[in-house]
Structures are given as structure tokens and as C-alpha cells.
Amino acid sequence: AQKCGLESTPKLYHVAYDLDDLASAVSAAEATAKIAEDKFDGKLHVLVNNAGASVAQYQLTKQGVEANTGRNFLAPHLLTEKLLPLMKAAATSTYKPRCVFVASLGYCLTLDYDPQRLLEKPEEGGAPEGALKFDESGKFVGSTVDLVANYGRAK
């Protein structure tokens, strides 16, 4: 901080939320906005999204989306979308706020993410047709390998 000419060390705030619930992402954005309003004139200078969880068994988020996609893609992106106005407020002609998405090499597992399929079949998390296996009753009968691939799609 001193090397950058700051007189004091910047304060970091941690806002946790449930990655399985998009409503929780909205609540986290609201909590962050309150901190920004109370302490920083409604400005957010840095946002670090460090969401990450590889779900080894088939699960759905509260909104019915395959859990790897909901946790690693939808929730952090929704949070970011809600916080963009605060980041834009912090921008000047000489300073640009930063938004960082921490990821893993999991994104290398597959390159076949299909956003249209995510809209049509959120319970499959954007996997190509037939990539996740379900029986006639809708129960997941695929393998852990199928879910690891969906983890990669979500990154």
C-alpha cells in the first residue's frame, strides 16, 4: 500500500453466500452495495469471485440448475452483474476497477458447453444432448466422469 502512495492499508471485506441459490447471490450483492455505500461513496474498486466446487454426485441448485453450472458459472456471474454499477462508479479516466474470476484448469476438461441447452434443460447444466444420462423417471444414472466434465463446462 505504501509503495502505491497509500497512507493506510486498504480494508478487505468478505461477503459469503450460498452458491446453490441465485437469491443468495442477489442478497450478497445487496450486502456488498451497503458496504460500498457506507464506506466508499457507493464505489467498488475490486471484486474477486472465488467460487469453486466440483460436485461429484448429481445435484440441482435451488433454481433447478445442474450444481456445477449453478455454483461455478451462474451464481458468480449474477453477483458480478448486480455489482457492475458500483464498479462503474469507481472508474475514472486514470483508474479502472478490477473484476477477477478465479478458476482452475478444469475448463480444459471440455469445450462443448452449450448455452442454448442450458436455457432448454437447466438440469443438464449446458451439457450437449446425451452427455448426461437419465432413466425414464428422470433420475441421473450417469457417472462421476460425466459430472467432472460438467465441472469443466462451468469453468
Side-chain angles (χ1 to χ4, degrees):
Q2 290 176 344
K3 286 181 183 180
C4 294
L6 298 175
E7 294 179 18
S8 62
T9 302
K11 177 112 170 113
L12 298 178
Y13 294 86
H14 175 258
V15 177
Y17 66 101
D18 181 357
L19 294 167
D20 281 338
D21 186 1
L22 294 178
S24 181
V26 172
S27 296
E30 291 167 352
T32 303
K34 180 160 179 25
I35 293 168
E37 190 62 42
D38 292 348
K39 311 249 183 218
F40 302 102
D41 298 321
K43 299 174 183 174
L44 179 63
H45 296 273
V46 178
L47 172 62
V48 178
N49 286 296
N50 190 26
S54 179
V55 183
Q57 58 185 354
Y58 183 74
Q59 296 177 19
L60 298 176
T61 66
K62 290 192 169 105
Q63 284 73 30
V65 176
E66 189 275 328
N68 283 300
T69 302
R71 291 177 185 177
N72 295 298
F73 181 68
L74 294 178
H77 282 82
L78 177 60
L79 176 73
T80 301
E81 178 187 357
K82 297 294 184 186
L83 294 175
L84 278 177
L86 301 174
M87 297 186 81
K88 289 178 181 179
T92 68
S93 61
T94 59
Y95 174 78
K96 303 297 179 228
R98 306 292 191 267
C99 179
V100 178
F101 281 85
V102 178
S104 70
L105 287 176
Y107 76 91
C108 295
L109 294 170
T110 181
L111 298 174
D112 60 359
Y113 173 74
D114 185 344
Q116 186 60 40
R117 289 272 305 153
L118 175 61
L119 295 173
E120 295 168 1
K121 298 253 185 194
E123 67 278 5
E124 294 183 18
E129 187 170 353
L132 297 183
K133 312 289 188 272
F134 299 88
D135 66 14
E136 298 79 31
S137 69
K139 181 180 179 205
F140 178 73
V141 294
S143 70
T144 300
V145 172
D146 298 330
L147 295 173
V148 169
N150 248 28
Y151 170 75
R153 286 182 191 100
K155 294 314 243 173

